[in-house]
Amino acid sequence: MEHRCTLSVRSYELDNYGHVNNAVYLNYLEYARHQFLNDTGFPYENLRREGFGLYVARVDIRYIKPAFLEDQLVIVSELTSMGRVKGSVRQEILRGDDLIAEARIDFATVNGSGRPASMPEEARKAWTAAEALKSTER
């Protein structure tokens, strides 16, 4: 299922051309992933408290249209795969019906030393359970 997160473009996120700087989209995507995890009932902070982290292993992003000051953007996130250690999230950034950008994020679970580790079962269950992945609007 998909998760939706809404945000508004702020002036300090713009480049010299008056549109959102490409690097800022990575912040939008990360913010949306954190909201997604929070809304599952097992937020990222819980994972950290248990001595684990999620490292972004790969970002594949395609920029399609520019976003501008005060645009209302919706970031759609969907967990597309989840293994013991690795997973992937598909994300889209929308302005109304316009697709602004799309991305695939691959991540890995690590322990406190930064070494690959199995994700705690409680977190994996929370994040993959269909009832925990209900669409929400923020």
Side-chain angles (χ1 to χ4, degrees), residues 29-38 56 77 89 91 105:
L29 296 171
E30 183 154 352
Y31 174 77
R33 288 193 308 277
H34 277 256
Q35 293 307 311
F36 175 62
L37 296 178
N38 288 343
V56 171
S77 303
V89 177
Q91 293 184 281
I105 312 297

Side-chain angles (χ1 to χ4, degrees):
M1 295 186 80
E2 295 179 340
H3 178 271
R4 292 176 177 265
C5 175
T6 303
L7 56 82
S8 182
V9 174
R10 297 162 291 249
S11 61
Y12 57 85
E13 298 169 331
L14 305 179
D15 60 19
N16 290 334
Y17 302 106
H19 50 70
V20 174
N21 183 284
N22 288 358
V24 172
Y25 288 97
L26 297 174
N27 292 330
Y28 292 169
L29 296 171
E30 183 154 352
Y31 174 77
R33 288 193 308 277
H34 277 256
Q35 293 307 311
F36 175 62
L37 296 178
N38 288 343
D39 290 344
T40 67
F42 198 93
Y44 185 70
E45 189 53 38
N46 287 10
L47 196 66
R48 288 182 37 138
R49 265 197 293 275
E50 291 193 18
F52 295 92
L54 295 177
Y55 281 9
V56 171
R58 176 182 162 181
V59 175
D60 183 6
I61 188 167
R62 191 178 94 159
Y63 302 99
I64 299 164
K65 293 184 178 181
F68 303 97
L69 182 62
E70 298 182 9
D71 278 354
Q72 296 298 305
L73 303 177
V74 175
I75 297 97
V76 179
S77 303
E78 181 179 22
L79 185 66
T80 56
S81 71
M82 177 63 113
R84 286 185 326 105
V85 175
K86 299 177 184 178
S88 292
V89 177
R90 178 192 59 80
Q91 293 184 281
E92 295 177 340
I93 300 176
L94 305 168
R95 179 184 53 231
D97 292 331
D98 289 336
L99 180 61
I100 302 298
E102 58 188 1
R104 175 183 158 190
I105 312 297
D106 294 339
F107 62 89
T109 309
V110 297
N111 61 22
S113 300
R115 305 285 301 163
S118 293
M119 180 176 290
E121 189 62 27
E122 183 182 351
R124 189 162 22 148
K125 284 180 182 177
W127 295 347
T128 57
E131 61 271 12
L133 302 178
K134 293 178 182 166
S135 293
T136 58
E137 193 72 35
R138 282 205 173 242

